[in-house]
Every structure is written in structure tokens, then in C-alpha cells.
Amino acid sequence: AVGMGVGQALLVLLAACAVTPAKDPLLNVCMDAKHHKTKPGPEGMLHDQCAPWKDNACCTANTTAEAHRDQSNLYNFNWNHCGLMPPKCKRHFIQDTCLYECSPNLGPWIDQTDSSWRRERILHVPLCKEDCEEWWEDCKDYATCKENWHKGWNWATGTNRCPWGSMCRPFSHVFPRPKDLCEKIWSNSYKYTTEHRGSGLCIQMWFDPAQGNPNAVVAKYYAWKKRDSTALMETVTPKTNKAECALPWSVLVLLPLVL
């Protein structure tokens, strides 16, 4: 919670304790997309980097196995379109795929889309500073021919190839800053933030499942904020429920800031 003001900390605390409807449409949901389950739930085994979501996932084991392949059957997308993508870079794209396919905590950012292969997408998910910057750092020397990987490819062979006339250039040229990479590569699916992991204010692609999923409290905070962004301005603040105030670790760390 480095750099967080008392006001922000209080917002997170209130959001985590706020009494919410029995079924909040923004919480614990799966988007309506190509490979997502209808509802999140436990999975016996999820492959490798997708394993943190196994207790409550929107993906199946088969989806997570495909997410780790160079030439995945999920979308016929080839990471190696400008030469072999280094493993240290590829692991971020795998983790990005795991978050997208598996997370039940993206409800506040689900948006309608008119795509032929999905009815919903994510838009402006606030990604933690470390996740975005490490992604850029590990990929900056790999090359690509496109800034937006969602569209504009040559699919004549059934997989994505660089469009005619395009050049392969280093990531650091195509995406000069971490912000450029995170926001542009998937049509603003992510939003670069200066918030840190564990702050309760940003979504993490990477987390230790032994400590619980930190994104659950983040989704709850943004869902509450979306419902009533002026809650602290009003005389009546959200009521609290003692049972719900057995707060996750990512909120408990904020208590010293508000006491």
C-alpha cells in the first residue's frame, strides 16, 4: 500500500466491508466469450501458470493446457510471428491468457462487443505497475510487426502472420513504454496504473494462491465504487457486516493507514 492516501485506504476498507446483494452481477462472474465456462467454480487441475485459479475458475483444464502451447488451438494464434519468442517473454503472454480465461474477478470491466467469436470482452482493467513493467522488461528485445494484436493480421494460412508490407521491429520500438504495451496490445483491455501489488487497487496477473486471490477484493472495491462513487460524500456510509469484515490480507494491510 505504498503511496496510498488515507482516503484511498478507507475506500478500499469500506468496499471490502460493504454489504452487497446476495448476487452482485459484477462479482464472481465469467464473461460471455469463446472458451469461458458459464459460471466460475473449482477445477481439479489447471495447467502450470494457470494453477492459481484452480479453486475458482472460469476456465477448464483443457483451456489452460492449450494456453501454454506455441500454436494454440484456442485462437490459432502464433506468438512466434517475428522469430522465436524468448521464454521469459512468453511466460507473460501465457499469464495474460490465464488471467483472461480463468479469472472470475474481471466483472467490473466486462464490456459488450460485436465480435464474431465473443459477446463480451474486458476493457480498461487496472493492471498493477509491477505486472506491466515486468512484462515490458522481459519482452523489450523481442520483435513484433504490430502494435494491436487483436486485429489486422494476415490469416491466409489459418494462423496469424504479419500483414504484407509490415516490418518486424523490437518491442521497445513498437511499445516505447510499459504503458504502451499494456494498453495498446489488446485494444485497451488493460489500463496501466501506478498502483502496486497488494494495494487492493489493481489487478494482478501473478499471485501466490497460498495467500489467496488478491483480485477478489479489488473487484469488490471497483464494483462498489461503480455502484456508488460518491458514497463517502454522503452522510450515510455503507453499512458494515461483521461477518463480511473478516477481511482479506490485502485489505488488512491497510488498517494502519486509517486508524
Side-chain angles (χ1 to χ4, degrees):
V2 176
M4 181 184 293
V6 172
Q8 280 185 313
L10 186 56
L11 271 173
V12 175
L13 188 61
L14 287 174
C17 284
V19 173
T20 54
K23 174 59 179 172
D24 189 316
L26 298 180
L27 298 178
N28 197 39
V29 294
C30 301
M31 73 185 87
D32 186 353
K34 189 173 183 180
H35 301 289
H36 287 70
K37 290 158 50 176
T38 306
K39 296 178 181 178
E43 290 289 327
M45 289 289 290
L46 292 183
H47 191 65
D48 200 3
Q49 288 180 225
C50 297
W53 286 274
K54 69 181 180 63
D55 291 338
N56 192 34
C58 286
C59 58
T60 63
N62 182 61
T63 294
T64 64
E66 287 295 328
H68 288 72
R69 300 183 189 277
D70 283 347
Q71 185 72 45
S72 169
N73 288 330
L74 296 179
Y75 305 101
N76 293 322
F77 197 90
N78 180 19
W79 304 123
N80 305 315
H81 54 268
C82 276
L84 190 64
M85 181 182 280
K88 69 175 183 178
C89 174
K90 189 183 300 175
R91 72 190 189 105
H92 291 279
F93 283 96
I94 292 172
Q95 199 69 13
D96 158 52
T97 303
C98 290
L99 176 70
Y100 171 79
E101 300 289 353
C102 300
S103 178
N105 309 123
L106 300 175
W109 305 280
I110 290 177
D111 196 46
Q112 302 301 307
T113 183
D114 58 0
S115 170
S116 60
W117 52 277
R118 60 180 180 179
R119 296 177 62 185
E120 293 179 335
R121 58 163 294 188
I122 49 173
L123 188 65
H124 303 313
V125 174
L127 202 61
C128 292
K129 178 182 175 72
E130 296 91 342
D131 292 70
C132 190
E133 293 186 349
E134 289 173 12
W135 190 357
W136 185 87
E137 185 65 32
D138 287 343
C139 292
K140 65 182 181 182
D141 297 326
Y142 176 60
T144 183
C145 53
K146 284 183 52 55
E147 183 181 72
N148 187 336
W149 287 16
H150 260 155
K151 55 188 179 181
W153 296 99
N154 174 2
W155 290 95
T157 60
T159 188
N160 59 302
R161 303 181 84 173
C162 291
W164 296 111
S166 64
M167 286 179 55
C168 290
R169 298 183 294 144
F171 255 52
S172 57
H173 293 185
V174 179
F175 307 107
R177 304 167 299 168
K179 175 183 172 71
D180 298 314
L181 168 62
C182 291
E183 295 187 353
K184 294 179 180 179
I185 196 163
W186 299 127
S187 309
N188 296 301
S189 292
Y190 295 121
K191 178 182 178 182
Y192 174 80
T193 77
T194 56
E195 306 296 347
H196 294 274
R197 292 174 185 161
S199 67
L201 294 170
C202 59
I203 291 293
Q204 297 179 206
M205 287 203 301
W206 303 85
F207 63 88
D208 179 1
Q211 297 184 33
N213 182 346
N215 294 332
V217 72
V218 178
K220 190 168 186 179
Y221 164 66
Y222 281 96
W224 175 76
K225 188 178 178 183
K226 199 168 186 177
R227 283 191 305 270
D228 191 0
S229 60
T230 60
L232 289 184
M233 301 288 186
E234 299 175 355
T235 54
V236 179
T237 56
K239 295 180 180 178
T240 58
N241 179 306
K242 290 182 180 179
E244 293 220 9
C245 284
L247 297 176
W249 64 270
S250 52
V251 174
L252 288 173
V253 296
L254 303 177
L255 286 175
L257 298 179
V258 297
L259 293 178

